[in-house]
Amino acid sequence: MIPFLDLKSLNAAHREELIEAATRVIDSGWYIQGECLKRFEEEFTAYTGARHTVGVANGLDALILTIRAWKELGKLKDGDEVIVPANTYIATLLAITENKLTPVLVEPDADTYNLCPKNIERALTDKTRLIMPVHLYGQLADMPAIDAIAKRENLLVLEDSAQAHGAQVAGKSAGNWGDASGFSFYPGKNLGALGDAGAITSSDAELVNMIQALRNYGSHEKYKNLVQGVNSRLDEIQAAMLSVKLKYLQGQIEARRRVAAIYMAGIKNPLIKLPLDSSVDVMNHISHVWHLFVVRSEVREALQRHLTESGVQTLIHYPIPPHQQQAYAKSDFFNKSFPITERIHREVLSLPISPVMTDAEAQRVVEACNSFSVDA
């Protein structure tokens, strides 16, 4: 079976460095908010091009704490509207509702699956205060257009960059477009820790200062609490792991692009819709980092069965859209009609893609896809 993502092999390539980094932390006797966190924050700041990075416990906290910080600073308040793509993972919405703001779901672009600027325009009201583009599957949303709308309307922009480490538009990276950005370092991400981890990037020093307090019980100085904060700190072990893995991220992105190129060139089955190829789009200066390689099929279940029987593991990202989740049964948007989103969730299927996949394995996936038929 070709695994969807072989994390064991992926991390084994850096095993000695990871063990050495963990040993240094263990021997240091300092395990929270130490030199390893400071080093990784500096390294990730340089990588994204933003001015600041704040390490937190996970990607959801990165989004929650950013919105919470804006509330503490008086830039957002309960009930403010947040424009968000309807086809995102539920974590994006949880960050909004946890802060007592109102999600306004809009349909994505049908080809890129990202937030559509035209639909943002249609959703604007006098209560809109924040836009949350989600760089789904490793491809940036149309940030030049989104930032232009935000600037014109005096809105905040929070990028959900959980799947987009290293993705760019016009040479500018995820995490350096909006007012702030939330990253996840969940083990399966392109830059993955060996446990839960996350970070916020921003060039707004006031915002960063507030987030630094919020992640640490609302305190910059021990026993002096400026606000009612939480405990959401990126610990030293995970920061050390991430510093090791960050060194190899760009090479791993290129490996993902190699696999994606094999798929794009080789899969010819008319029953399978390939993703919009923007990995090397010179005209638009877009770069895709292929966190996921997502195809679509009107006969997805049959295709997935065929691929499983052919020795190819696949996953669905995501089977149920947020507006159909029972968690939001009491919301205004529950079971509202979002035809594009619903079709996407009904048809998407993620093929295996990782830096440790061989060309031969990728070709086997291509062959399995091309041998699929409804009569099979």
Side-chain angles (χ1 to χ4, degrees):
M1 176 72 74
I2 297 173
F4 179 77
L5 177 62
D6 186 353
L7 280 178
K8 184 176 179 180
S9 294
L10 186 62
N11 289 319
H14 315 300
R15 186 175 187 274
E16 296 307 317
E17 284 187 82
L18 293 169
I19 291 173
E20 182 182 346
T23 301
R24 285 198 304 271
V25 175
I26 294 167
D27 291 347
S28 75
W30 194 290
Y31 308 121
I32 298 288
Q33 290 192 297
E35 289 302 313
C36 290
L37 174 60
K38 181 180 178 182
R39 184 183 308 115
F40 174 70
E41 288 177 337
E42 291 172 350
E43 291 166 347
F44 199 64
T45 295
Y47 183 78
T48 61
R51 292 180 184 169
H52 308 280
T53 296
V54 183
V56 294
N58 54 68
L60 176 56
D61 280 4
L63 300 177
I64 289 174
L65 291 177
T66 303
I67 297 174
R68 169 78 184 282
W70 276 324
K71 290 185 72 178
E72 294 287 350
L73 294 169
K75 295 186 178 182
L76 293 173
K77 65 181 186 305
D78 289 2
D80 283 347
E81 291 182 354
V82 182
I83 294 176
V84 64
N87 64 314
T88 186
Y89 182 57
I90 196 171
T92 317
L93 268 69
L94 291 173
I96 299 168
T97 55
E98 175 69 15
N99 280 292
K100 297 182 171 59
L101 273 63
T102 303
V104 176
L105 278 62
V106 301
E107 291 275 47
D109 180 281
D111 292 318
T112 67
Y113 313 125
N114 279 329
L115 193 55
C116 176
K118 290 181 180 178
N119 290 340
I120 293 174
E121 296 276 12
R122 297 186 185 103
L124 292 171
T125 74
D126 58 4
K127 293 183 179 180
T128 307
R129 294 292 179 271
L130 173 63
I131 303 173
M132 286 185 69
V134 181
H135 306 317
L136 208 59
Y137 308 148
Q139 177 176 238
L140 259 68
D142 187 350
M143 291 309 300
I146 291 170
D147 275 1
I149 294 169
K151 184 176 182 180
R152 187 193 75 214
E153 301 293 333
N154 194 29
L155 304 175
L156 296 166
V157 176
L158 173 56
E159 300 173 71
D160 184 338
S161 300
Q163 301 184 4
H165 318 70
Q168 296 183 340
V169 172
K172 192 173 180 179
S173 295
N176 193 26
W177 278 94
D179 297 282
S181 179
F183 285 88
S184 167
F185 304 123
Y186 180 78
K189 303 298 185 183
N190 285 21
L191 178 59
L194 272 68
D196 271 324
I200 298 146
T201 58
S202 178
S203 294
D204 183 339
E206 183 184 35
L207 175 67
V208 167
N209 188 59
M210 179 59 72
I211 294 169
Q212 287 171 333
L214 285 170
R215 73 172 176 183
N216 189 41
Y217 301 100
S219 172
H220 284 112
E221 184 179 345
K222 197 168 185 178
Y223 302 130
K224 291 185 179 180
N225 304 84
L226 303 176
V227 291
Q228 297 176 30
V230 299
N231 177 4
S232 181
R233 301 173 299 207
L234 174 56
D235 67 68
E236 289 289 283
I237 286 279
Q238 296 303 340
M241 301 297 99
L242 288 165
S243 283
V244 171
K245 298 186 74 176
L246 181 59
K247 295 186 296 183
Y248 301 99
L249 177 57
Q250 209 57 37
Q252 292 180 352
I253 288 171
E254 294 307 320
R256 288 175 176 273
R257 287 175 176 159
R258 186 195 73 244
V259 175
I262 292 171
Y263 288 167
M264 295 298 294
I267 298 174
K268 304 294 186 182
N269 194 325
L271 295 172
I272 300 173
K273 174 180 168 56
L274 293 169
L276 181 67
D277 182 16
S278 60
S279 57
V280 185
D281 188 330
V282 178
M283 182 67 69
N284 295 315
H285 305 288
I286 295 172
S287 63
H288 197 318
V289 296
W290 298 105
H291 170 59
L292 298 172
F293 191 96
V294 180
V295 300
R296 284 169 56 185
S297 177
E298 293 181 358
V299 284
R300 179 182 66 192
E301 281 66 30
L303 173 60
Q304 187 172 39
R305 282 195 302 272
H306 170 79
L307 291 175
T308 300
E309 291 165 359
S310 301
V312 176
Q313 184 184 25
T314 60
L315 295 177
I316 297 172
H317 298 87
Y318 304 96
I320 306 172
H323 71 280
Q324 293 179 343
Q325 295 284 1
Q326 193 61 35
Y328 285 109
K330 295 181 180 179
S331 71
D332 291 339
F333 57 78
F334 183 66
N335 273 340
K336 188 177 177 181
S337 177
F338 293 96
I340 296 174
T341 291
E342 288 156 19
R343 183 175 182 183
I344 289 170
H345 284 259
R346 196 165 56 241
E347 296 182 355
V348 290
L349 186 66
S350 300
L351 302 183
I353 188 165
S354 84
V356 295
M357 276 188 74
T358 65
D359 289 0
E361 287 175 323
Q363 288 291 354
R364 282 175 54 195
V365 175
V366 168
E367 291 164 8
C369 287
N370 287 338
S371 66
F372 171 68
S373 71
V374 289
D375 300 321

